[in-house]
Amino acid sequence: DVKVTQSSRYLVKRTGEKVFLECVQDMDHENMFWYRQDPGLGLRLIYFSYDVKMKEKGDIPEGYSVSREKKERFSLILESASTNQTSMYLCASSLWAGGGNQPQHFGDGTRLSIL
Amino acid sequence: AQSVTQLDSQVPVFEEAPVELRCNYSSSVSVYLFWYVQYPNQGLQLLLKYLSGSTLVESINGFEAEFNKSQTSFHLRKPSVHISDTAEYFCAVAPTDKLIFGTGTRLQVFP
């Protein structure tokens, strides 16, 4: 089975801090994704990476950046955390298909609180 | 732009009753369709998918969904729910490798 591991289940940080969320997958997937999940809004894509060092903005990239130096690892960075970034963050991976017929596999999420 | 609509944010049902969770999508091109389930304090798990072929797809735990191209729908059904089916269910469409999710439906099963 595919395993997507997020480094923290719960994280509490202060406003203005630089925050790193880490995600590792063990199935050699080309695609990796970061979402945030908020009640009533579903999942919104922050960033998408289809290869090492390649990234693409999602629907809500403002205030975030990403890093993919190795194929198995995809990091989400909050440059200067703000209270409106308090949320559940989900990482996912999938095989590259070009047309979307490969399902995404999700980690268990990181519940981030910014105080 | 593509979109997915899950009209019901919450669906309360009694155990052993049938349930239908509705999903409609907007698309002018062929797409792939998915249902994911999220149990409390967990990530999303794939429940079932429609890629091509038979319009009725089934999961291993008794759920099924029917792709209806003319109505652009992909409703999820189960003839008899269990307490353990309590979870949030997300419908998603994949015109590309990026998924577009609905806002989710919380299924609450009562004894």
Side-chain angles (χ1 to χ4, degrees):
Chain A
D1 273 354
V2 177
K3 183 79 173 165
V4 178
T5 303
Q6 295 184 230
S7 53
S8 305
R9 292 298 304 274
Y10 301 94
L11 206 54
V12 180
K13 296 291 181 180
R14 297 196 178 277
T15 55
E17 281 192 70
K18 192 169 186 176
V19 181
F20 294 85
L21 302 183
E22 307 287 345
C23 175
V24 177
Q25 51 95 3
D26 65 358
M27 283 301 292
D28 204 35
H29 284 171
E30 293 86 4
N31 296 333
M32 295 190 75
F33 308 83
W34 274 108
Y35 297 90
R36 65 176 282 176
Q37 182 181 11
D38 299 289
L41 297 178
L43 277 75
R44 293 179 292 168
L45 182 65
I46 305 172
Y47 267 99
F48 161 51
S49 170
Y50 50 91
D51 201 352
V52 174
K53 297 189 185 295
M54 306 304 288
K55 62 186 179 185
E56 193 174 301
K57 291 181 180 179
D59 300 318
I60 51 165
E62 297 78 19
Y64 303 94
S65 63
V66 290
S67 171
R68 192 159 179 210
E69 297 296 319
K70 294 184 178 181
K71 192 174 185 180
E72 67 270 18
R73 185 179 296 270
F74 192 34
S75 303
L76 180 69
I77 303 153
L78 285 66
E79 298 290 344
S80 178
S82 64
T83 54
N84 63 10
Q85 292 178 308
T86 291
S87 186
M88 169 73 92
Y89 290 87
L90 291 165
C91 175
S93 72
S94 71
L95 286 169
W96 181 87
N101 64 358
Q102 295 295 321
Q104 291 183 17
H105 302 265
F106 285 81
D108 283 337
T110 295
R111 190 167 293 281
L112 175 65
S113 297
I114 307 295
L115 305 179
Chain B
Q2 304 271 359
S3 66
V4 176
T5 302
Q6 293 182 247
L7 286 169
D8 305 304
S9 60
Q10 294 188 65
V11 174
V13 293
F14 287 109
E15 195 172 19
E16 298 182 3
V19 70
E20 178 180 80
L21 307 184
R22 295 179 292 169
C23 173
N24 289 87
Y25 66 94
S26 68
S27 175
S28 59
V29 298
S30 296
V31 294
Y32 304 109
L33 295 158
F34 303 85
W35 274 100
Y36 284 84
V37 59
Q38 184 179 34
Y39 299 105
N41 297 316
Q42 294 186 24
L44 276 69
Q45 302 173 30
L46 179 67
L47 189 59
L48 45 76
K49 60 187 177 185
Y50 171 77
L51 302 181
S52 65
S54 173
T55 57
L56 186 66
V57 290
E58 298 177 352
S59 72
I60 57 172
N61 58 355
F63 283 94
E64 64 180 30
E66 186 161 18
F67 169 59
N68 188 319
K69 188 174 182 179
S70 63
Q71 297 188 4
T72 59
S73 67
F74 191 53
H75 301 330
L76 182 69
R77 301 184 183 97
K78 190 170 185 180
S80 175
V81 294
H82 301 133
I83 296 284
S84 60
D85 293 324
T86 293
E88 188 146 24
Y89 293 80
F90 291 94
C91 181
V93 62
T96 66
D97 279 6
K98 292 185 283 186
L99 287 172
I100 299 168
F101 285 91
T103 52
T105 297
R106 177 149 188 80
L107 176 63
Q108 183 81 44
V109 182
F110 294 93

